[in-house]
């Protein structure tokens, strides 16, 4: 699980990405919570950080390998 959270000027931004293998497939679940209809000027920096995190996670390659038993 990868999470990013920020509370800035009473506007919480949050995003999480969870990964699991289910029935032979990789399942990725993303939850993004902007928490506001409008981003205040003072929150632009935090919002840019959130957007960059989401962009990185959505472009990230998932590499699977077998475990040695």
């Amino acid at each position: 699980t990868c999470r990013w959270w920020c509370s800035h000027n009473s506007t919480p931004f949050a995003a999480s990405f969870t990964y699991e293998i289910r029935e032979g497939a990789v399942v990725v679940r993303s939850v993004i919570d902007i928490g506001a209809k409008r981003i205040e000027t003072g929150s632009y920096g935090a919002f840019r950080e959130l957007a960059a995190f989401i962009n990185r996670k959505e472009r990230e390659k998932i590499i699977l390998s077998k475990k040695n038993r």
Side-chain angles (χ1 to χ4, degrees):
T1 301
C2 298
R3 292 189 178 129
W4 186 96
W5 183 84
C6 177
S7 181
H8 189 72
N9 292 343
S10 301
T11 304
F13 303 130
S16 67
F17 290 76
T18 42
Y19 309 86
E20 66 178 294
I21 296 177
R22 189 184 317 152
E23 298 175 11
V26 176
V27 178
V28 179
R29 180 174 183 253
S30 62
V31 177
I32 300 167
D33 182 9
I34 302 301
K37 292 181 181 180
R38 181 188 155 131
I39 309 303
E40 298 297 326
T41 305
S43 299
Y44 286 175
F47 185 75
R48 276 193 303 273
E49 288 179 36
L50 173 70
F53 171 78
I54 293 167
N55 189 45
R56 277 193 313 274
K57 298 312 290 178
E58 288 183 342
R59 293 175 178 265
E60 190 173 71
K61 288 184 181 182
I62 298 171
I63 300 171
L64 302 177
S65 63
K66 291 185 179 183
K67 283 186 177 180
N68 293 332
R69 293 183 188 219

